[in-house]
Coordinates of all heavy atoms in Angstrom, one line a residue:
R106 N 160.3 197.7 -32.6 CA 161.7 197.9 -32.2 C 161.8 198.5 -30.8 O 161.5 199.7 -30.7 CB 162.5 198.7 -33.2 CG 162.6 198.0 -34.6 CD 163.4 198.9 -35.6 NE 162.6 200.0 -36.0 CZ 161.7 200.0 -37.0 NH1 161.5 198.9 -37.6 NH2 161.1 201.1 -37.3
S107 N 162.2 197.7 -29.8 CA 162.3 198.2 -28.5 C 163.6 199.0 -28.3 O 164.6 198.6 -28.9 CB 162.3 197.1 -27.5 OG 162.6 197.5 -26.2
L108 N 163.5 200.2 -27.6 CA 164.7 201.0 -27.4 C 165.3 200.7 -26.0 O 166.2 201.4 -25.5 CB 164.3 202.5 -27.5 CG 163.8 202.9 -28.9 CD1 163.5 204.4 -28.9 CD2 164.8 202.6 -30.0
W109 N 164.7 199.7 -25.3 CA 165.3 199.2 -24.0 C 166.7 198.7 -24.2 O 167.0 198.0 -25.2 CB 164.4 198.2 -23.4 CG 164.9 197.6 -22.1 CD1 164.7 198.2 -20.9 CD2 165.6 196.4 -21.9 NE1 165.3 197.4 -19.9 CE2 165.9 196.3 -20.5 CE3 166.1 195.5 -22.8 CZ2 166.6 195.3 -20.0 CZ3 166.8 194.4 -22.2 CH2 167.1 194.3 -20.9
T110 N 167.6 199.0 -23.3 CA 168.9 198.4 -23.4 C 169.3 197.7 -22.1 O 168.8 198.0 -21.0 CB 170.0 199.6 -23.5 OG1 169.8 200.5 -22.5 CG2 169.7 200.3 -24.9
D111 N 170.0 196.6 -22.2 CA 170.5 195.8 -21.1 C 171.7 196.4 -20.5 O 172.2 197.5 -20.9 CB 170.7 194.4 -21.4 CG 171.7 194.2 -22.5 OD1 172.6 195.1 -22.7 OD2 171.7 193.1 -23.2
S112 N 172.3 195.8 -19.5 CA 173.5 196.3 -18.8 C 174.7 196.4 -19.8 O 175.6 197.2 -19.5 CB 173.9 195.4 -17.7 OG 174.1 194.0 -18.1
D113 N 174.7 195.7 -20.9 CA 175.8 195.8 -21.8 C 175.5 196.8 -22.9 O 176.3 197.0 -23.9 CB 176.0 194.4 -22.5 CG 176.5 193.4 -21.5 OD1 177.2 193.8 -20.6 OD2 176.1 192.2 -21.6
G114 N 174.3 197.5 -22.9 CA 174.0 198.5 -23.9 C 173.3 197.9 -25.1 O 173.1 198.7 -26.1
A115 N 173.0 196.6 -25.1 CA 172.4 196.0 -26.3 C 170.9 196.1 -26.2 O 170.3 196.2 -25.1 CB 172.8 194.5 -26.3
T116 N 170.3 196.2 -27.4 CA 168.8 196.3 -27.5 C 168.2 195.0 -28.1 O 168.9 194.3 -28.9 CB 168.4 197.5 -28.4 OG1 168.9 197.3 -29.7 CG2 168.8 198.8 -27.8
P117 N 167.0 194.6 -27.8 CA 166.4 193.4 -28.3 C 166.3 193.5 -29.8 O 166.1 194.6 -30.4 CB 165.1 193.3 -27.6 CG 165.2 194.2 -26.4 CD 166.1 195.3 -26.8
P118 N 166.3 192.4 -30.5 CA 166.0 192.4 -32.0 C 164.6 192.8 -32.3 O 163.7 192.7 -31.4 CB 166.3 191.0 -32.4 CG 166.1 190.2 -31.2 CD 166.5 191.0 -30.0
A119 N 164.4 193.4 -33.5 CA 163.0 193.8 -33.9 C 162.1 192.5 -33.9 O 162.5 191.4 -34.2 CB 163.1 194.4 -35.3
K120 N 160.8 192.7 -33.6 CA 159.8 191.7 -33.6 C 158.7 191.9 -34.6 O 158.3 193.0 -34.8 CB 159.2 191.6 -32.2 CG 160.1 191.2 -31.0 CD 159.3 191.2 -29.7 CE 158.2 190.2 -29.7 NZ 158.7 188.8 -29.7
N121 N 158.2 190.8 -35.2 CA 157.1 190.9 -36.0 C 155.8 191.1 -35.2 O 155.7 190.3 -34.2 CB 156.9 189.7 -36.9 CG 157.9 189.6 -38.0 OD1 158.4 190.6 -38.5 ND2 158.2 188.4 -38.5
V122 N 155.0 192.0 -35.4 CA 153.8 192.3 -34.7 C 152.6 192.6 -35.6 O 152.9 192.9 -36.8 CB 153.9 193.4 -33.7 CG1 154.9 193.0 -32.5 CG2 154.4 194.7 -34.3
Y123 N 151.4 192.5 -35.1 CA 150.2 192.8 -35.9 C 149.3 193.7 -35.1 O 149.2 193.6 -33.9 CB 149.4 191.5 -36.2 CG 150.2 190.5 -37.0 CD1 151.0 189.5 -36.4 CD2 150.2 190.6 -38.4 CE1 151.7 188.6 -37.2 CE2 151.0 189.7 -39.2 CZ 151.7 188.7 -38.5 OH 152.5 187.8 -39.3
L124 N 148.8 194.7 -35.9 CA 147.9 195.7 -35.2 C 146.5 195.5 -35.9 O 146.3 195.7 -37.1 CB 148.4 197.1 -35.5 CG 147.6 198.2 -34.9 CD1 147.6 198.1 -33.3 CD2 148.1 199.6 -35.3
V125 N 145.5 195.1 -35.1 CA 144.1 194.9 -35.5 C 143.3 196.1 -35.2 O 143.2 196.5 -34.0 CB 143.5 193.6 -34.9 CG1 142.1 193.4 -35.5 CG2 144.4 192.4 -35.2
L126 N 142.7 196.8 -36.2 CA 142.0 198.0 -36.0 C 140.5 197.8 -36.4 O 140.3 197.5 -37.6 CB 142.6 199.2 -36.7 CG 144.0 199.5 -36.3 CD1 144.6 200.6 -37.2 CD2 144.1 200.0 -34.9
R127 N 139.6 198.0 -35.5 CA 138.2 198.0 -35.8 C 137.7 199.4 -35.7 O 138.0 200.1 -34.7 CB 137.4 197.0 -34.8 CG 137.8 195.6 -35.0 CD 137.2 194.7 -33.9 NE 137.3 193.2 -34.3 CZ 138.4 192.5 -34.0 NH1 139.4 193.1 -33.4 NH2 138.4 191.2 -34.4
Q128 N 136.9 199.9 -36.7 CA 136.6 201.3 -36.8 C 135.3 201.6 -37.3 O 134.8 200.9 -38.2 CB 137.7 202.0 -37.6 CG 137.7 203.5 -37.7 CD 138.7 204.0 -38.6 OE1 139.3 203.3 -39.4 NE2 139.0 205.3 -38.5
S129 N 134.6 202.6 -36.8 CA 133.4 203.2 -37.4 C 133.7 204.7 -37.5 O 134.8 205.1 -37.2 CB 132.2 202.9 -36.5 OG 132.3 203.6 -35.3
A130 N 132.7 205.5 -37.9 CA 132.9 206.9 -38.1 C 133.2 207.6 -36.8 O 133.9 208.6 -36.7 CB 131.7 207.5 -38.7
S131 N 132.7 207.0 -35.6 CA 132.9 207.7 -34.4 C 133.8 207.0 -33.4 O 134.0 207.5 -32.3 CB 131.5 207.9 -33.7 OG 130.9 206.7 -33.4
S132 N 134.3 205.8 -33.7 CA 135.1 205.1 -32.8 C 136.1 204.2 -33.5 O 136.0 203.9 -34.6 CB 134.2 204.2 -31.9 OG 133.6 203.2 -32.6
V133 N 137.2 203.9 -32.7 CA 138.2 203.0 -33.2 C 138.7 202.2 -32.0 O 138.8 202.7 -30.9 CB 139.3 203.7 -33.9 CG1 140.0 204.7 -33.0 CG2 140.3 202.8 -34.6
S134 N 139.1 200.9 -32.2 CA 139.7 200.1 -31.2 C 141.0 199.5 -31.8 O 141.0 199.2 -33.0 CB 138.8 199.1 -30.6 OG 138.5 198.1 -31.6
A135 N 142.0 199.3 -30.9 CA 143.3 198.7 -31.4 C 143.7 197.5 -30.5 O 143.5 197.6 -29.3 CB 144.3 199.8 -31.4
V136 N 144.2 196.5 -31.2 CA 144.8 195.3 -30.5 C 146.1 195.0 -31.2 O 146.2 194.8 -32.4 CB 143.8 194.1 -30.6 CG1 144.5 192.9 -29.9 CG2 142.5 194.4 -30.0
L137 N 147.2 195.1 -30.4 CA 148.5 194.9 -30.9 C 148.9 193.4 -30.4 O 148.9 193.1 -29.2 CB 149.5 195.9 -30.3 CG 151.0 195.7 -30.7 CD1 151.1 196.0 -32.2 CD2 151.8 196.7 -29.9
L138 N 149.2 192.6 -31.4 CA 149.5 191.2 -31.2 C 150.9 190.9 -31.5 O 151.5 191.2 -32.5 CB 148.6 190.3 -32.1 CG 147.1 190.5 -32.0 CD1 146.4 189.8 -33.1 CD2 146.6 190.0 -30.6
S139 N 151.6 190.2 -30.5 CA 152.9 189.6 -30.7 C 152.9 188.2 -30.4 O 151.9 187.6 -29.9 CB 154.0 190.4 -29.9 OG 153.9 190.0 -28.6
D140 N 154.0 187.5 -30.6 CA 154.1 186.1 -30.2 C 154.1 185.8 -28.7 O 154.1 184.7 -28.2 CB 155.2 185.4 -30.9 CG 156.6 186.0 -30.5 OD1 156.6 187.1 -29.9 OD2 157.6 185.4 -30.8
E141 N 154.3 187.0 -27.9 CA 154.4 186.8 -26.5 C 153.3 187.5 -25.7 O 153.1 187.1 -24.5 CB 155.7 187.5 -26.0 CG 157.0 186.8 -26.6 CD 158.2 187.5 -26.1 OE1 158.1 188.6 -25.5 OE2 159.3 187.0 -26.3
S142 N 152.5 188.4 -26.3 CA 151.5 189.1 -25.6 C 150.5 189.8 -26.5 O 150.7 189.8 -27.7 CB 152.2 190.2 -24.7 OG 152.8 191.2 -25.5
S143 N 149.5 190.4 -25.9 CA 148.5 191.2 -26.6 C 148.3 192.5 -25.9 O 148.2 192.5 -24.6 CB 147.2 190.4 -26.8 OG 146.6 190.1 -25.6
S144 N 148.1 193.6 -26.6 CA 147.8 194.9 -26.0 C 146.5 195.4 -26.5 O 146.4 195.5 -27.7 CB 148.9 195.9 -26.4 OG 150.2 195.4 -25.9
V145 N 145.5 195.6 -25.6 CA 144.2 196.0 -26.0 C 143.9 197.4 -25.6 O 144.2 197.8 -24.5 CB 143.1 195.0 -25.4 CG1 141.7 195.4 -25.8 CG2 143.4 193.6 -25.7
S146 N 143.5 198.2 -26.5 CA 143.3 199.6 -26.2 C 142.1 199.8 -25.3 O 141.1 199.1 -25.3 CB 143.0 200.4 -27.5 OG 141.8 200.0 -28.1
S147 N 142.3 200.8 -24.3 CA 141.2 201.2 -23.5 C 140.6 202.5 -23.9 O 139.5 202.9 -23.6 CB 141.7 201.4 -22.0 OG 142.8 202.3 -22.0

Side-chain angles (χ1 to χ4, degrees):
R106 291 181 290 276
S107 173
L108 300 180
W109 177 83
T110 57
D111 61 20
S112 57
D113 296 325
T116 59
K120 294 176 63 69
N121 286 332
V122 291
Y123 298 92
L124 182 64
V125 184
L126 299 175
R127 292 173 170 84
Q128 186 182 16
S129 66
S131 62
S132 66
V133 61
S134 66
V136 179
L137 182 65
L138 302 169
S139 77
D140 60 346
E141 297 180 350
S142 66
S143 61
S144 300
V145 180
S146 66
S147 56

